[in-house]
Amino acid sequence: MNGTTRRCFAVDLHDDADQIARYRVWHRAGGPPAAVTAAIRADDVRELEIWLVGDRLFMILEQGDGYDAQAKAARDAADSDVRAWDALMRTFQKPLPFAPDRTWVEMERIYALSEQPGPDGEASPTDRDGAPTSL
């Protein structure tokens, strides 16, 4: 099998402009330690993006069929570089209000355009910025 599964997660950052700027620097191309990037790729993560708005982070993770969350957690726990990175990132992050003991809470998909009825090629109405107007 050669499938890909997309999962999405959210966490907040401490609402401090300097801290958020530092977090952004750590995530620029080449910012994360090479060992951390290698560990992510070794677990069949095909793509990983982090998006920021205000102090809220949104992560999109695309995993292949070889991804095993429990095995990844065990490997990460045994890897000193990954543990150090995680500890550093947690200094910037704060849990979401409804999940005080967790970071990177998995989100539930509640809408997909591809699952909506309608004629092929029909575009969603958008506002002036190109964002959907009524979703």
Side-chain angles (χ1 to χ4, degrees):
M1 199 174 226
N2 195 15
T4 301
T5 301
R6 180 180 302 137
R7 297 168 64 201
C8 299
F9 302 82
V11 71
D12 285 343
L13 294 175
H14 293 287
D15 192 11
D16 176 289
D18 291 335
Q19 287 280 75
I20 292 171
R22 288 182 52 220
Y23 191 87
R24 291 175 71 107
V25 167
W26 275 111
H27 287 84
R28 73 191 187 289
V36 171
T37 300
I40 293 168
R41 289 181 173 146
D43 287 307
D44 202 13
V45 173
R46 309 274 174 89
E47 183 62 81
L48 191 150
E49 296 179 342
I50 298 175
W51 295 71
L52 171 68
V53 61
D55 62 354
R56 173 99 4 121
L57 295 172
F58 174 68
M59 178 171 54
I60 304 168
L61 181 146
E62 292 183 358
Q63 64 193 48
D65 293 331
Y67 183 89
D68 179 329
Q70 290 179 326
K72 177 169 182 34
R75 281 189 293 275
D76 288 352
D79 186 319
S80 61
D81 291 320
V82 172
R83 284 194 325 269
W85 174 257
D86 186 55
L88 175 62
M89 292 303 102
R90 286 176 186 262
T91 67
F92 296 96
Q93 299 166 345
K94 69 177 182 181
L96 297 170
F98 56 86
D101 59 339
R102 297 172 36 207
T103 59
W104 290 117
V105 176
E106 188 163 5
M107 302 173 79
E108 175 187 3
R109 185 183 74 155
I110 64 166
Y111 176 87
L113 179 62
S114 62
E115 296 172 355
Q116 302 306 311
D120 288 343
E122 183 178 89
S124 297
T126 59
D127 65 18
R128 287 180 292 187
D129 296 326
T133 55
S134 59
L135 298 179

